[in-house]
């Protein structure tokens, strides 16, 4: 039997999904998108950019898919609870944003377009101010392995760093990791470029001995994706987000939003002045779109 070429099969599937959304819209139903509340802490702005990207992607697909209602869950959830809610058929959320792993891509439907252009894989460190000379003496991965690193429990970086020979200390809560650093439970808290600077500004009044380490940059591929539930509704939502983000990539609005939220942090992070230590990420799936250069942050251009 003759088979349709891949691009024709993809277009046919996309048109079929769009037809279902339009049928729902004709019945007066708006797409309901519920994303998680991950902390009641007022000084937690980690996901503002992600939800801004999601909203614009949904807005751009209104002509094709119909109206939408986007809201945050009213109940704060731990990362483990967020994952459980997205697995449950009647869970309280239907989308999450998370650094990918093979397990996540098996459990949920991944939108394989990196939300932050892979910026999450460019890591700088929150450290204790008194330890800055220790980090200034680090020139290799082996030097860095002598210093313990803090990460949240079950974060996808944990197996990556442990497989690379690092001593990883896990904290049970995001907020508690800053207290653990201050108390000397580990030596460095690995954060994305924009995360570290935002968190320093938010947390330094509480932890005045915390500093941003100025000389090192740890880099590894770490795509941040949207994920939806593996059911019919999740398939439709994942396709809508995919179509919206592809439109954003094509018309430049994703990069504009990226610069709006991340541009200043990239400039002040001083990438060109840092010693770059590269790690492989053996946990990426074969479907990771590494060959699409337009999807990834370029440290040479800052875009």
């Amino acid at each position: 039997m003759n088979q349709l070429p891949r691009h024709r099969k993809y277009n046919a599937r996309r048109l079929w999904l769009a037809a279902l959304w339009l049928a729902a819209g004709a019945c007066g139903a708006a797409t309901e998108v519920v994303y998680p509340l991950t902390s009641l802490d007022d000084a937690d702005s980690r996901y503002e950019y992600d939800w801004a990207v999601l909203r614009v992607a949904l807005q751009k697909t209104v002509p094709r898919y119909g109206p939408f209602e986007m809201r945050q869950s009213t109940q704060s959830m731990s990362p483990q609870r967020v994952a459980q809610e997205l697995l449950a058929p009647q869970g309280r959320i239907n989308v999450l944003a998370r650094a990918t792993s093979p397990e996540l891509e098996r459990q949920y439907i991944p939108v394989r377009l990196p939300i932050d252009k892979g910026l999450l894989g460019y890591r700088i460190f929150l450290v204790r101010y008194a330890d800055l000379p220790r980090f200034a003496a680090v020139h290799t991965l082996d030097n860095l392995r002598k210093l313990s690193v803090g990460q949240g429990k079950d974060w996808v970086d944990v197996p990556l760093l442990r497989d690379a020979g690092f001593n990883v200390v896990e904290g049970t809560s995001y907020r508690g990791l800053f207290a653990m650093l201050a108390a000397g439970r580990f030596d460095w808290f690995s954060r994305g470029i924009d995360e570290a600077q935002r968190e320093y500004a938010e947390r330094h009044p509480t932890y005045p001995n915390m500093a941003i380490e100025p000389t090192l940059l740890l880099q590894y591929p770490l795509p941040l994706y949207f994920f939806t539930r593996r059911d019919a509704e999740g398939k439709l939502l994942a396709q809508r987000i995919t179509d919206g983000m592809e439109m954003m990539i094509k018309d430049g609005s994703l990069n504009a939003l990226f610069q709006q939220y991340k541009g200043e942090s990239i400039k002040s992070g001083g990438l060109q002045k840092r010693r770059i230590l590269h790690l492989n990420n053996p946990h990426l799936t074969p479907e990771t779109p590494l060959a699409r250069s337009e999807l990834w942050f370029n440290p040479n251009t800052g875009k």
Side-chain angles (χ1 to χ4, degrees):
M1 181 179 295
N2 292 331
Q3 293 186 343
L4 287 171
R6 175 180 287 185
H7 72 278
R8 291 184 61 189
K9 288 193 290 184
Y10 169 79
N11 288 334
R13 179 174 180 272
R14 186 172 65 177
L15 289 171
W16 173 75
L17 290 170
L20 290 181
W21 277 110
L22 289 172
C27 297
T31 303
E32 186 174 295
V33 180
V34 185
Y35 59 95
L37 172 63
T38 54
S39 175
L40 293 175
D41 189 349
D42 290 337
D44 185 359
S45 57
R46 287 176 292 170
Y47 299 98
E48 288 180 358
Y49 167 75
D50 306 338
W51 308 137
V53 171
L54 179 60
R55 184 174 296 278
V56 174
L58 295 172
Q59 288 170 343
K60 286 188 174 292
T61 53
V62 166
R64 180 181 296 169
Y65 290 91
F68 70 93
E69 296 177 1
M70 179 175 159
R71 60 181 174 84
Q72 190 170 48
S73 170
T74 56
Q75 182 171 348
S76 176
M77 306 176 193
S78 67
Q80 295 79 14
R81 188 65 194 176
V82 168
Q84 292 169 3
E85 289 291 334
L86 197 62
L87 279 176
Q90 302 300 321
R92 286 171 287 186
I93 62 168
N94 59 0
V95 66
L96 63 78
R98 191 163 290 184
T100 194
S101 71
E103 181 181 9
L104 288 174
E105 295 188 27
R106 287 192 299 268
Q107 289 179 320
Y108 314 110
I109 299 174
V111 175
R112 290 192 180 93
L113 297 169
I115 302 167
D116 68 346
K117 305 181 71 171
L119 188 66
L120 191 61
Y122 290 78
R123 315 294 287 185
I124 61 177
F125 313 149
L126 294 175
V127 302
R128 292 177 295 278
Y129 183 83
D131 284 344
L132 287 175
R134 299 174 69 192
F135 287 90
V138 170
H139 289 267
T140 67
L141 287 172
D142 282 338
N143 296 155
L144 188 60
R145 288 185 180 102
K146 297 175 182 177
L147 301 166
S148 57
V149 54
Q151 290 286 267
K153 183 174 176 55
D154 298 328
W155 287 4
V156 297
D157 310 69
V158 171
L160 188 156
L161 291 168
R162 281 187 174 147
D163 289 351
F166 288 94
N167 175 22
V168 181
V169 178
E170 293 182 78
T172 56
S173 75
Y174 166 68
R175 185 176 184 178
L177 284 160
F178 299 94
M180 291 174 68
L181 174 64
R185 296 279 301 280
F186 53 79
D187 297 314
W188 51 288
F189 187 13
S190 176
R191 309 302 291 142
I193 293 170
D194 62 312
E195 289 178 325
Q197 295 175 78
R198 190 173 64 249
E199 290 164 349
Y200 176 81
E202 294 167 349
R203 310 279 175 171
H204 189 253
T206 305
Y207 303 103
N209 294 323
M210 184 172 69
I212 297 175
E213 201 289 319
T215 66
L216 299 171
L217 177 69
L218 181 65
Q219 194 278 323
Y220 46 83
L222 189 64
L224 176 71
Y225 292 155
F226 291 118
F227 293 90
T228 64
R229 188 174 289 113
R230 279 201 174 274
D231 58 16
E233 177 187 317
K235 290 179 182 177
L236 293 169
L237 181 56
Q239 188 62 62
R240 177 169 185 165
I241 297 170
T242 299
D243 289 353
M245 288 188 67
E246 290 285 11
M247 293 168 70
M248 294 174 70
I249 292 162
K250 186 175 181 179
D251 67 17
S253 55
L254 180 63
N255 191 59
L257 207 59
F258 178 81
Q259 293 297 327
Q260 176 186 336
Y261 278 83
K262 313 287 189 180
E264 189 57 40
S265 292
I266 291 169
K267 290 179 183 177
S268 57
L271 271 64
Q272 289 78 15
K273 300 177 182 178
R274 293 175 176 270
R275 292 190 293 278
I276 302 178
L277 305 176
H278 291 283
L279 273 184
N280 293 324
N281 185 350
H283 302 283
L284 295 179
T285 63
E287 296 85 0
T288 306
L290 296 172
R292 291 185 62 183
S293 60
E294 78 274 17
L295 300 183
W296 304 95
F297 171 68
N298 184 337
N300 295 321
T301 63
K303 298 181 179 178

